[in-house]
Amino acid sequence: MTTQMFEGKGHAAVYQKYRFAPGKELQQTILAYLQEKKAVPAELVVDVGCGSGQGTRFLAEHFKKVVGTDISEAQIQEARDTPSMPNVSYLVCPAEELPFQDASVDVLASFTAAHWFDIEKFMREVQRVVRLGGCVAISTYTVDMSLRYGDCSEKLTKIFRECWDQILKYSHNRLKFVLENYKEIFEALPFTDKKRITDIYDKIPMTVEGVVGYLESASPYQTFMKNDPEAAKSLLQETEKRMLETMGVSSRETPVEFWVRHVCVLGCK
């Protein structure tokens, strides 16, 4: 069964507010692969573990019908409450029990979610629902992140990573899939035509508030909050204060470049 880490309404709301959509480089990597494999135009695209719908809305810009699925009712409600194109719908269901007919899905995608699934059962569902000639795109951003702002990028990144290291002490053991660059997920994909790309770098436009909000949205931080709420809140407050001082600004709305590295597993049945 999927590991359920994003259930609460409060967490879902933070997730919706601060989680970013797939970056341009990742988008282009996926779309180019689907073009190469002639998986487009696609009738039905499914985004598994869609959370609050950031990846689903990207897919909706390019495909006829997109369905986002997630095990969390709170996340799906956030997705439904967010304006999106009319070709998008959402369903609450586990990744291991997808409500689609055999060989009915043209493209199955999953953004920063597959490491929470029961990999063996999920891959059986992938094999079942994806049509012959259909494609899979399973990606995640990694913990390899950095910040850029003027001439203080190195100091800013150091502050961010010090905070991130504290938060990662509360990580679920499933983070191992991310730390190994989705190698196990790639190997489990039951297609012979597949590849794994580990060096997709994206610049995400953010603000200082957005960077701190992203940290708040991370599942290890939510665990930290349950264990020691005062220490968790203090860590983010101190991190934001240090970032602003280093940048020489006072506004949380100050723009900053947030650089992330994506890993993407692509396959064609």
Side-chain angles (χ1 to χ4, degrees), residues 171-182:
S171 293
H172 194 280
N173 60 13
R174 284 185 166 270
L175 189 67
K176 68 179 183 180
F177 293 111
V178 177
L179 295 176
E180 65 170 17
N181 291 315
Y182 269 21

Side-chain angles (χ1 to χ4, degrees), residues 149 206-209 244 247 249-256:
Y149 182 86
M206 277 204 181
T207 61
V208 173
E209 179 192 3
L244 292 173
M247 295 164 69
V249 299
S250 58
S251 173
R252 307 176 73 222
E253 300 304 316
T254 303
V256 62

